[in-house]
Amino acid sequence: MTSSPLPHRIGYGEDAHRLAEGRSLVLGGVAIPHAGRGAVAHSDGDAVLHAVADALLSGLALGDIGQYYPDTAPENAGLDSRVILMRCLELVRKRGYAPVNLALVVTLDRPKLGPLRADIARSLAELLGLRETEVGVSFKTSEGLAPDHVQVRVTVLLARMGA
Ligand code: C5P
Ligand code: MG
């Protein structure tokens, strides 16, 4: 029996990075001013873009970004996470799917990200070919449970193109 491709598929992704002084904090392609600290990472440490990229891959059971961009590979040092995301988006599109909406939660104790909500939504929408209203961006503190980390969780809905 042949199974026809699903019209919709859900993807889920997570990422976390430790924060340290002397690094810049970038989330969803947006530089966060006055953060004081940034992500410790092999690439540029954009935890939002990493989680979104993993969500795209997971929706089609394509594994995770570590398989495509190992953090042990010297050529991935300082890599612009937008490159990672665009490669994952291409893999999704090649299989006939496209993202239709995305929901994102960033857990970070400080700084306050609320004033940058629209900037982050716009940046992600541009990268993914979506409208700003199709990108939900939520922020949470960890209530002091993880003051030295940024944590991101993402769900994405993929729809089969032309379905
Ligand atoms: O996590 P908590 O419920 O305490 O968050 C309260 C509010 O603070 C929420 O409206 C959230 O959007 C905002 N917030 C923020 N920047 C953060 C963490 C939370 O703007 N880094
Ligand atoms: Mg990461």
Short mmCIF file of all heavy atoms in Angstrom, two decimals, residues 23-89:
data_model
loop_
_atom_site.label_atom_id
_atom_site.label_comp_id
_atom_site.label_asym_id
_atom_site.label_seq_id
_atom_site.Cartn_x
_atom_site.Cartn_y
_atom_site.Cartn_z
N ARG A 23 30.74 38.61 24.65
CA ARG A 23 30.16 38.07 23.42
C ARG A 23 28.89 38.83 23.12
O ARG A 23 28.23 39.33 24.03
CB ARG A 23 29.83 36.59 23.57
CG ARG A 23 31.06 35.73 23.68
CD ARG A 23 30.72 34.37 24.19
NE ARG A 23 31.92 33.57 24.36
CZ ARG A 23 32.44 32.78 23.42
NH1 ARG A 23 31.84 32.69 22.24
NH2 ARG A 23 33.52 32.09 23.63
N SER A 24 28.53 38.87 21.82
CA SER A 24 27.30 39.57 21.48
C SER A 24 26.15 38.57 21.43
O SER A 24 26.34 37.40 21.14
CB SER A 24 27.45 40.33 20.16
OG SER A 24 27.93 39.45 19.18
N LEU A 25 24.96 39.08 21.74
CA LEU A 25 23.77 38.22 21.76
C LEU A 25 22.94 38.51 20.51
O LEU A 25 22.54 39.66 20.27
CB LEU A 25 22.96 38.48 23.03
CG LEU A 25 21.72 37.60 23.23
CD1 LEU A 25 22.11 36.13 23.31
CD2 LEU A 25 20.97 38.01 24.49
N VAL A 26 22.73 37.47 19.71
CA VAL A 26 21.92 37.60 18.49
C VAL A 26 20.79 36.59 18.57
O VAL A 26 21.03 35.40 18.83
CB VAL A 26 22.76 37.34 17.22
CG1 VAL A 26 21.93 37.56 15.96
CG2 VAL A 26 24.00 38.22 17.19
N LEU A 27 19.55 37.04 18.40
CA LEU A 27 18.39 36.14 18.48
C LEU A 27 17.49 36.35 17.27
O LEU A 27 16.99 37.47 17.05
CB LEU A 27 17.61 36.40 19.78
CG LEU A 27 18.35 36.04 21.08
CD1 LEU A 27 17.57 36.53 22.30
CD2 LEU A 27 18.60 34.55 21.19
N GLY A 28 17.33 35.33 16.49
CA GLY A 28 16.48 35.44 15.30
C GLY A 28 17.05 36.39 14.26
O GLY A 28 16.30 36.99 13.50
N GLY A 29 18.38 36.52 14.25
CA GLY A 29 19.02 37.43 13.31
C GLY A 29 19.04 38.87 13.77
O GLY A 29 19.49 39.76 13.04
N VAL A 30 18.56 39.13 14.99
CA VAL A 30 18.51 40.50 15.53
C VAL A 30 19.55 40.64 16.64
O VAL A 30 19.54 39.84 17.60
CB VAL A 30 17.09 40.81 16.09
CG1 VAL A 30 17.06 42.18 16.76
CG2 VAL A 30 16.05 40.72 14.98
N ALA A 31 20.42 41.62 16.52
CA ALA A 31 21.42 41.89 17.56
C ALA A 31 20.72 42.53 18.75
O ALA A 31 19.99 43.51 18.59
CB ALA A 31 22.50 42.80 17.01
N ILE A 32 20.91 41.97 19.95
CA ILE A 32 20.22 42.46 21.14
C ILE A 32 21.13 43.49 21.82
O ILE A 32 22.20 43.12 22.33
CB ILE A 32 19.91 41.30 22.13
CG1 ILE A 32 19.22 40.13 21.41
CG2 ILE A 32 19.11 41.81 23.32
CD1 ILE A 32 17.89 40.43 20.75
N PRO A 33 20.73 44.77 21.84
CA PRO A 33 21.59 45.78 22.44
C PRO A 33 21.58 45.69 23.97
O PRO A 33 20.60 45.25 24.56
CB PRO A 33 20.97 47.11 21.97
CG PRO A 33 19.55 46.80 21.62
CD PRO A 33 19.48 45.32 21.30
N HIS A 34 22.67 46.09 24.57
CA HIS A 34 22.80 46.16 26.04
C HIS A 34 22.59 44.81 26.72
O HIS A 34 22.17 44.76 27.88
CB HIS A 34 21.82 47.19 26.63
CG HIS A 34 21.76 48.46 25.85
ND1 HIS A 34 22.87 49.25 25.64
CD2 HIS A 34 20.74 49.08 25.20
CE1 HIS A 34 22.53 50.29 24.89
NE2 HIS A 34 21.25 50.21 24.60
N ALA A 35 22.88 43.71 26.02
CA ALA A 35 22.69 42.41 26.65
C ALA A 35 23.78 42.16 27.69
O ALA A 35 23.57 41.47 28.67
CB ALA A 35 22.69 41.30 25.60
N GLY A 36 24.99 42.75 27.44
CA GLY A 36 26.09 42.55 28.37
C GLY A 36 26.78 41.21 28.19
O GLY A 36 27.98 41.09 28.38
N ARG A 37 26.00 40.21 27.80
CA ARG A 37 26.55 38.87 27.61
C ARG A 37 25.99 38.27 26.32
O ARG A 37 24.96 38.71 25.83
CB ARG A 37 26.16 37.97 28.78
CG ARG A 37 26.68 38.46 30.11
CD ARG A 37 26.31 37.52 31.23
NE ARG A 37 24.87 37.35 31.33
CZ ARG A 37 24.29 36.44 32.12
NH1 ARG A 37 25.04 35.62 32.83
NH2 ARG A 37 22.99 36.34 32.17
N GLY A 38 26.69 37.27 25.82
CA GLY A 38 26.21 36.62 24.61
C GLY A 38 26.42 35.12 24.68
O GLY A 38 26.99 34.61 25.66
N ALA A 39 25.96 34.42 23.66
CA ALA A 39 25.98 32.96 23.66
C ALA A 39 27.39 32.42 23.44
O ALA A 39 28.13 32.90 22.58
CB ALA A 39 25.06 32.44 22.56
N VAL A 40 27.74 31.43 24.24
CA VAL A 40 28.98 30.68 24.03
C VAL A 40 28.65 29.60 23.02
O VAL A 40 27.80 28.74 23.27
CB VAL A 40 29.46 30.04 25.35
CG1 VAL A 40 30.72 29.21 25.12
CG2 VAL A 40 29.67 31.10 26.41
N ALA A 41 29.29 29.68 21.84
CA ALA A 41 28.93 28.74 20.78
C ALA A 41 30.05 28.64 19.75
O ALA A 41 30.90 29.53 19.66
CB ALA A 41 27.66 29.21 20.08
N HIS A 42 30.01 27.56 18.99
CA HIS A 42 30.99 27.34 17.92
C HIS A 42 30.64 28.22 16.71
O HIS A 42 31.50 28.79 16.07
CB HIS A 42 30.94 25.86 17.52
CG HIS A 42 32.03 25.44 16.60
ND1 HIS A 42 33.37 25.55 16.92
CD2 HIS A 42 31.99 24.89 15.35
CE1 HIS A 42 34.09 25.09 15.91
NE2 HIS A 42 33.28 24.70 14.95
N SER A 43 29.32 28.36 16.45
CA SER A 43 28.86 29.24 15.38
C SER A 43 28.60 30.62 15.99
O SER A 43 29.13 30.94 17.03
CB SER A 43 27.58 28.68 14.75
OG SER A 43 26.50 28.80 15.67
N ASP A 44 27.72 31.42 15.37
CA ASP A 44 27.42 32.73 15.95
C ASP A 44 26.48 32.63 17.17
O ASP A 44 26.18 33.61 17.81
CB ASP A 44 26.86 33.70 14.89
CG ASP A 44 25.51 33.24 14.34
OD1 ASP A 44 24.92 32.28 14.87
OD2 ASP A 44 25.05 33.86 13.36
N GLY A 45 26.00 31.41 17.45
CA GLY A 45 25.25 31.18 18.69
C GLY A 45 23.84 31.72 18.70
O GLY A 45 23.28 31.97 19.76
N ASP A 46 23.24 31.90 17.51
CA ASP A 46 21.86 32.41 17.46
C ASP A 46 20.91 31.24 17.78
O ASP A 46 20.52 30.47 16.90
CB ASP A 46 21.57 33.00 16.08
CG ASP A 46 20.25 33.75 16.02
OD1 ASP A 46 19.29 33.31 16.70
OD2 ASP A 46 20.16 34.76 15.30
N ALA A 47 20.55 31.13 19.07
CA ALA A 47 19.76 29.98 19.53
C ALA A 47 18.39 29.94 18.87
O ALA A 47 17.82 28.85 18.68
CB ALA A 47 19.63 30.03 21.05
N VAL A 48 17.84 31.11 18.51
CA VAL A 48 16.53 31.12 17.85
C VAL A 48 16.64 30.49 16.46
O VAL A 48 15.86 29.60 16.11
CB VAL A 48 15.96 32.56 17.75
CG1 VAL A 48 14.77 32.61 16.80
CG2 VAL A 48 15.57 33.07 19.13
N LEU A 49 17.63 30.91 15.70
CA LEU A 49 17.76 30.35 14.34
C LEU A 49 18.10 28.87 14.39
O LEU A 49 17.65 28.09 13.54
CB LEU A 49 18.80 31.14 13.52
CG LEU A 49 18.45 32.59 13.23
CD1 LEU A 49 19.43 33.18 12.21
CD2 LEU A 49 17.03 32.77 12.74
N HIS A 50 18.88 28.45 15.38
CA HIS A 50 19.20 27.02 15.50
C HIS A 50 17.94 26.21 15.80
O HIS A 50 17.71 25.15 15.23
CB HIS A 50 20.22 26.77 16.61
CG HIS A 50 21.56 27.39 16.34
ND1 HIS A 50 22.55 27.49 17.27
CD2 HIS A 50 22.05 27.96 15.21
CE1 HIS A 50 23.60 28.07 16.74
NE2 HIS A 50 23.32 28.38 15.49
N ALA A 51 17.11 26.72 16.72
CA ALA A 51 15.89 26.00 17.09
C ALA A 51 14.90 25.98 15.93
O ALA A 51 14.23 24.97 15.69
CB ALA A 51 15.26 26.64 18.33
N VAL A 52 14.81 27.08 15.18
CA VAL A 52 13.91 27.11 14.02
C VAL A 52 14.40 26.12 12.96
O VAL A 52 13.61 25.37 12.38
CB VAL A 52 13.81 28.54 13.42
CG1 VAL A 52 13.03 28.53 12.11
CG2 VAL A 52 13.17 29.50 14.42
N ALA A 53 15.70 26.09 12.73
CA ALA A 53 16.25 25.17 11.73
C ALA A 53 15.98 23.73 12.14
O ALA A 53 15.57 22.90 11.31
CB ALA A 53 17.75 25.42 11.56
N ASP A 54 16.16 23.41 13.42
CA ASP A 54 15.86 22.05 13.90
C ASP A 54 14.37 21.73 13.77
O ASP A 54 14.00 20.60 13.46
CB ASP A 54 16.29 21.89 15.36
CG ASP A 54 17.67 21.24 15.48
OD1 ASP A 54 18.25 20.85 14.45
OD2 ASP A 54 18.17 21.14 16.62
N ALA A 55 13.52 22.72 14.01
CA ALA A 55 12.07 22.50 13.89
C ALA A 55 11.72 22.16 12.43
O ALA A 55 10.93 21.25 12.17
CB ALA A 55 11.31 23.74 14.35
N LEU A 56 12.32 22.87 11.49
CA LEU A 56 12.06 22.59 10.06
C LEU A 56 12.47 21.17 9.72
O LEU A 56 11.71 20.42 9.08
CB LEU A 56 12.84 23.57 9.18
CG LEU A 56 12.38 25.04 9.20
CD1 LEU A 56 13.36 25.89 8.38
CD2 LEU A 56 10.98 25.18 8.64
N LEU A 57 13.66 20.78 10.15
CA LEU A 57 14.16 19.43 9.83
C LEU A 57 13.28 18.37 10.49
O LEU A 57 12.94 17.36 9.87
CB LEU A 57 15.61 19.27 10.31
CG LEU A 57 16.66 20.13 9.61
CD1 LEU A 57 18.03 19.87 10.22
CD2 LEU A 57 16.70 19.85 8.11
N SER A 58 12.91 18.61 11.76
CA SER A 58 12.15 17.58 12.48
C SER A 58 10.78 17.35 11.86
O SER A 58 10.28 16.22 11.87
CB SER A 58 12.02 17.94 13.96
OG SER A 58 10.97 18.85 14.17
N GLY A 59 10.19 18.38 11.29
CA GLY A 59 8.87 18.25 10.68
C GLY A 59 8.85 17.23 9.55
O GLY A 59 7.82 16.63 9.26
N LEU A 60 10.00 17.05 8.91
CA LEU A 60 10.07 16.08 7.82
C LEU A 60 10.98 14.92 8.17
O LEU A 60 11.44 14.18 7.28
CB LEU A 60 10.53 16.78 6.54
CG LEU A 60 9.49 17.75 5.95
CD1 LEU A 60 10.08 18.57 4.82
CD2 LEU A 60 8.26 17.01 5.48
N ALA A 61 11.25 14.77 9.48
CA ALA A 61 12.10 13.67 9.96
C ALA A 61 13.45 13.65 9.25
O ALA A 61 13.92 12.59 8.82
CB ALA A 61 11.37 12.33 9.82
N LEU A 62 14.05 14.85 9.14
CA LEU A 62 15.33 14.96 8.44
C LEU A 62 16.52 15.05 9.40
O LEU A 62 17.62 15.43 8.99
CB LEU A 62 15.32 16.18 7.51
CG LEU A 62 14.34 16.14 6.34
CD1 LEU A 62 14.30 17.47 5.61
CD2 LEU A 62 14.70 15.00 5.38
N GLY A 63 16.27 14.72 10.67
CA GLY A 63 17.38 14.76 11.62
C GLY A 63 17.51 16.12 12.26
O GLY A 63 16.52 16.84 12.44
N ASP A 64 18.75 16.52 12.60
CA ASP A 64 18.95 17.83 13.25
C ASP A 64 20.19 18.51 12.68
O ASP A 64 20.99 17.88 12.00
CB ASP A 64 19.01 17.68 14.78
CG ASP A 64 20.20 16.84 15.23
OD1 ASP A 64 21.35 17.21 14.92
OD2 ASP A 64 19.96 15.79 15.87
N ILE A 65 20.34 19.80 13.00
CA ILE A 65 21.39 20.58 12.35
C ILE A 65 22.80 20.10 12.70
O ILE A 65 23.72 20.32 11.91
CB ILE A 65 21.26 22.10 12.60
CG1 ILE A 65 21.22 22.43 14.09
CG2 ILE A 65 20.07 22.67 11.87
CD1 ILE A 65 21.28 23.94 14.38
N GLY A 66 22.93 19.42 13.84
CA GLY A 66 24.25 18.89 14.21
C GLY A 66 24.77 17.88 13.20
O GLY A 66 25.97 17.70 13.04
N GLN A 67 23.86 17.22 12.51
CA GLN A 67 24.26 16.23 11.51
C GLN A 67 24.77 16.90 10.24
O GLN A 67 25.60 16.35 9.53
CB GLN A 67 23.08 15.34 11.13
CG GLN A 67 22.61 14.47 12.28
CD GLN A 67 21.33 13.76 11.90
OE1 GLN A 67 20.26 14.10 12.37
NE2 GLN A 67 21.43 12.77 11.03
N TYR A 68 24.25 18.10 9.98
CA TYR A 68 24.65 18.83 8.77
C TYR A 68 25.80 19.80 9.06
O TYR A 68 26.63 20.07 8.22
CB TYR A 68 23.46 19.62 8.20
CG TYR A 68 22.29 18.74 7.81
CD1 TYR A 68 21.32 18.40 8.75
CD2 TYR A 68 22.17 18.24 6.52
CE1 TYR A 68 20.24 17.59 8.41
CE2 TYR A 68 21.10 17.42 6.17
CZ TYR A 68 20.13 17.09 7.12
OH TYR A 68 19.09 16.28 6.78
N TYR A 69 25.80 20.34 10.30
CA TYR A 69 26.82 21.32 10.70
C TYR A 69 27.40 20.93 12.06
O TYR A 69 27.08 21.55 13.08
CB TYR A 69 26.20 22.72 10.80
CG TYR A 69 25.71 23.25 9.47
CD1 TYR A 69 24.37 23.11 9.10
CD2 TYR A 69 26.58 23.87 8.58
CE1 TYR A 69 23.92 23.57 7.88
CE2 TYR A 69 26.14 24.34 7.36
CZ TYR A 69 24.81 24.18 7.01
OH TYR A 69 24.37 24.64 5.80
N PRO A 70 28.28 19.91 12.10
CA PRO A 70 28.84 19.48 13.38
C PRO A 70 29.64 20.62 14.04
O PRO A 70 30.36 21.35 13.34
CB PRO A 70 29.78 18.33 13.00
CG PRO A 70 29.54 18.02 11.58
CD PRO A 70 28.82 19.17 10.96
N ASP A 71 29.47 20.76 15.38
CA ASP A 71 30.19 21.87 16.05
C ASP A 71 31.65 21.53 16.29
O ASP A 71 32.39 22.30 16.90
CB ASP A 71 29.47 22.31 17.33
CG ASP A 71 29.40 21.22 18.38
OD1 ASP A 71 30.01 20.16 18.19
OD2 ASP A 71 28.73 21.45 19.41
N THR A 72 32.07 20.36 15.77
CA THR A 72 33.49 20.01 15.86
C THR A 72 34.23 20.38 14.56
O THR A 72 35.45 20.33 14.50
CB THR A 72 33.63 18.48 16.07
OG1 THR A 72 32.75 17.83 15.15
CG2 THR A 72 33.26 18.09 17.49
N ALA A 73 33.47 20.74 13.51
CA ALA A 73 34.10 21.02 12.22
C ALA A 73 34.64 22.44 12.18
O ALA A 73 33.90 23.39 12.42
CB ALA A 73 33.08 20.81 11.10
N PRO A 74 35.94 22.60 11.90
CA PRO A 74 36.55 23.94 11.92
C PRO A 74 35.86 24.91 10.95
O PRO A 74 35.76 26.11 11.23
CB PRO A 74 38.00 23.71 11.51
CG PRO A 74 38.19 22.25 11.34
CD PRO A 74 36.90 21.55 11.55
N GLU A 75 35.35 24.39 9.81
CA GLU A 75 34.74 25.30 8.83
C GLU A 75 33.42 25.90 9.33
O GLU A 75 32.91 26.86 8.76
CB GLU A 75 34.53 24.59 7.47
CG GLU A 75 33.50 23.47 7.47
CD GLU A 75 34.11 22.10 7.77
OE1 GLU A 75 35.20 22.05 8.38
OE2 GLU A 75 33.49 21.09 7.40
N ASN A 76 32.87 25.34 10.43
CA ASN A 76 31.61 25.88 10.98
C ASN A 76 31.85 26.93 12.07
O ASN A 76 30.89 27.47 12.61
CB ASN A 76 30.74 24.75 11.53
CG ASN A 76 30.28 23.81 10.42
OD1 ASN A 76 30.21 24.22 9.27
ND2 ASN A 76 29.99 22.57 10.76
N ALA A 77 33.11 27.21 12.38
CA ALA A 77 33.42 28.20 13.42
C ALA A 77 32.91 29.57 13.00
O ALA A 77 33.19 30.03 11.89
CB ALA A 77 34.91 28.24 13.69
N GLY A 78 32.14 30.21 13.86
CA GLY A 78 31.64 31.56 13.58
C GLY A 78 30.62 31.61 12.46
O GLY A 78 30.28 32.69 11.97
N LEU A 79 30.12 30.46 12.06
CA LEU A 79 29.19 30.39 10.93
C LEU A 79 27.93 31.24 11.19
O LEU A 79 27.36 31.19 12.27
CB LEU A 79 28.79 28.92 10.72
CG LEU A 79 27.92 28.59 9.51
CD1 LEU A 79 28.66 28.88 8.21
CD2 LEU A 79 27.52 27.11 9.55
N ASP A 80 27.52 31.99 10.17
CA ASP A 80 26.30 32.79 10.24
C ASP A 80 25.11 31.83 10.26
O ASP A 80 24.91 31.06 9.31
CB ASP A 80 26.24 33.71 9.01
CG ASP A 80 25.04 34.66 9.03
OD1 ASP A 80 24.03 34.33 9.69
OD2 ASP A 80 25.13 35.71 8.37
N SER A 81 24.32 31.86 11.33
CA SER A 81 23.23 30.89 11.47
C SER A 81 22.16 31.06 10.40
O SER A 81 21.37 30.14 10.16
CB SER A 81 22.60 31.01 12.85
OG SER A 81 23.56 30.67 13.81
N ARG A 82 22.13 32.21 9.75
CA ARG A 82 21.17 32.38 8.65
C ARG A 82 21.49 31.42 7.51
O ARG A 82 20.60 30.95 6.81
CB ARG A 82 21.18 33.83 8.15
CG ARG A 82 20.46 34.77 9.11
CD ARG A 82 20.59 36.20 8.72
NE ARG A 82 21.98 36.64 8.81
CZ ARG A 82 22.37 37.91 8.84
NH1 ARG A 82 21.48 38.87 8.74
NH2 ARG A 82 23.63 38.23 8.95
N VAL A 83 22.79 31.11 7.32
CA VAL A 83 23.20 30.15 6.29
C VAL A 83 22.64 28.77 6.64
O VAL A 83 22.12 28.05 5.78
CB VAL A 83 24.75 30.11 6.19
CG1 VAL A 83 25.21 28.98 5.26
CG2 VAL A 83 25.28 31.45 5.73
N ILE A 84 22.73 28.40 7.93
CA ILE A 84 22.20 27.10 8.40
C ILE A 84 20.69 27.05 8.14
O ILE A 84 20.17 26.08 7.59
CB ILE A 84 22.48 26.91 9.91
CG1 ILE A 84 23.99 26.91 10.17
CG2 ILE A 84 21.81 25.64 10.44
CD1 ILE A 84 24.38 26.82 11.65
N LEU A 85 20.00 28.12 8.53
CA LEU A 85 18.54 28.14 8.38
C LEU A 85 18.14 28.03 6.91
O LEU A 85 17.21 27.27 6.56
CB LEU A 85 17.95 29.42 9.00
CG LEU A 85 16.44 29.52 8.89
CD1 LEU A 85 15.76 28.41 9.69
CD2 LEU A 85 15.95 30.88 9.38
N MET A 86 18.81 28.78 6.04
CA MET A 86 18.43 28.77 4.63
C MET A 86 18.66 27.40 4.00
O MET A 86 17.89 26.95 3.16
CB MET A 86 19.18 29.86 3.84
CG MET A 86 18.83 31.29 4.25
SD MET A 86 17.13 31.57 4.81
CE MET A 86 16.28 31.67 3.26
N ARG A 87 19.71 26.70 4.44
CA ARG A 87 19.96 25.33 3.93
C ARG A 87 18.83 24.40 4.37
O ARG A 87 18.34 23.58 3.57
CB ARG A 87 21.32 24.86 4.46
CG ARG A 87 21.57 23.38 4.30
CD ARG A 87 22.57 23.08 3.19
NE ARG A 87 22.63 21.64 2.93
CZ ARG A 87 23.43 20.80 3.57
NH1 ARG A 87 24.25 21.25 4.52
NH2 ARG A 87 23.45 19.53 3.27
N CYS A 88 18.40 24.54 5.62
CA CYS A 88 17.33 23.67 6.12
C CYS A 88 16.02 23.98 5.42
O CYS A 88 15.24 23.07 5.07
CB CYS A 88 17.18 23.82 7.64
SG CYS A 88 18.63 23.22 8.52
N LEU A 89 15.76 25.25 5.16
CA LEU A 89 14.55 25.66 4.45
C LEU A 89 14.55 25.07 3.03
O LEU A 89 13.52 24.61 2.53
CB LEU A 89 14.48 27.19 4.41
CG LEU A 89 13.23 27.82 3.82
CD1 LEU A 89 11.99 27.39 4.59
CD2 LEU A 89 13.35 29.35 3.85
#
